[in-house]
Amino acid sequence: MADIWVNILDGFNEIFSAPFKDVSIWWLLTPIILFWLVLEVYFGMYKGETLGWNTALGNGLNLFWIVVISLKALFTEGMGLFSMDKLVVVILITIYSAFIISISFTHKIKEKVFFFFASPTVVYYLSGITILWIHGLINISLWVIIDLILFYIMILILEIILRKLIPSASKEPKMEDSGAGDTGLKDKELGDKRSGDTGMDDIGKGLEKF
């Protein structure tokens, strides 16, 4: 039992130390984290809104951007980072990205099912781990994979807490027609009608005298 906890802690140490093995990797990680946080804050403020097809499309395109960066890392600088397992994973992510983009256009899968696979949490979490692994900053092992799954669950719990803590945005009041304007117009119409009715009555009374 003690060995299990040691392995779990070692796995988390590998995960959390990975971004600091080469600080230049933060040029790639920073926009991923920022975009992720912005979306979470947005959905925290507008709790009634859900992921839309256009947002899912954007997430698919962002994931494809990760594919391009990963391929560049594998095939440049003397292919020092290249390995077949990394290439296979990049190809799988390419297929995943194409799947998200394609379904976002065709809407062939029900929203509740598809939006899970295209959610910001899944896409950006996968993007961050891919960047670290492709650049050789994290060593993938069985315990690291287990810890990545546990870390993902922890992130989901934190997202739920974050969305509840973020105050909802106040809705702008709907623009309604001015009551004064309506009343003035109606009064004018009513006045014109009464004036017309009075004039006709006067003419009728005058004819009766003859």
Side-chain angles (χ1 to χ4, degrees):
M1 189 67 179
D3 291 339
I4 294 177
W5 284 108
V6 170
N7 290 327
I8 290 176
L9 292 175
D10 288 342
F12 276 119
N13 181 65
E14 178 68 21
I15 295 170
F16 291 126
S17 63
F20 302 99
K21 293 177 181 178
D22 181 4
V23 292
S24 64
I25 201 67
W26 283 99
W27 287 105
L28 300 176
L29 291 179
T30 300
I32 294 174
I33 296 173
L34 284 178
F35 292 162
W36 190 358
L37 287 176
V38 167
L39 286 174
E40 290 304 322
V41 171
Y42 177 85
F43 287 117
M45 293 176 62
Y46 299 94
K47 295 176 175 58
E49 295 190 21
T50 57
L51 186 71
W53 292 104
N54 52 350
T55 307
L57 175 61
N59 291 341
L61 294 173
N62 287 334
L63 191 58
F64 186 76
W65 171 70
I66 298 299
V67 170
V68 174
I69 292 176
S70 299
L71 290 174
K72 179 179 180 295
L74 292 179
F75 289 99
T76 57
E77 299 181 3
M79 297 178 62
L81 295 174
F82 181 85
S83 66
M84 282 305 301
D85 54 345
K86 290 182 179 179
L87 181 60
V88 170
V89 170
V90 172
I91 292 174
L92 292 175
I93 295 176
T94 304
I95 296 173
Y96 187 39
S97 172
F99 164 75
I100 294 176
I101 294 172
S102 174
I103 299 301
S104 296
F105 273 104
T106 61
H107 300 186
K108 288 185 176 180
I109 298 179
K110 292 183 178 180
E111 296 180 9
K112 291 182 179 180
V113 177
F114 174 68
F115 286 168
F116 169 77
F117 295 100
S119 67
T121 305
V122 173
V123 170
Y124 288 108
Y125 186 75
L126 180 60
S127 299
I129 299 303
T130 301
I131 287 294
L132 293 173
W133 184 54
I134 293 296
H135 286 79
L137 299 178
I138 185 172
N139 297 314
I140 299 297
S141 64
L142 175 61
W143 288 105
V144 170
I145 293 175
I146 292 174
D147 284 349
L148 287 173
I149 296 173
L150 293 175
F151 187 41
Y152 180 76
I153 295 173
M154 292 167 59
I155 289 175
L156 291 178
I157 295 173
L158 288 174
E159 283 182 353
I160 295 173
I161 296 173
L162 179 64
R163 291 187 182 187
K164 288 187 176 182
L165 292 177
I166 295 176
S168 300
S170 57
K171 295 182 179 179
E172 295 182 2
K174 295 182 179 179
M175 296 298 294
E176 298 179 354
D177 293 333
S178 172
D182 289 345
T183 303
L185 181 59
K186 289 179 180 178
D187 288 345
K188 184 178 184 302
E189 292 176 350
L190 185 59
D192 292 342
K193 183 178 180 182
R194 286 176 178 175
S195 177
D197 292 344
T198 303
M200 291 299 295
D201 290 343
D202 291 341
I203 293 173
K205 290 177 180 180
L207 291 174
E208 289 176 358
K209 292 180 181 181
F210 291 102

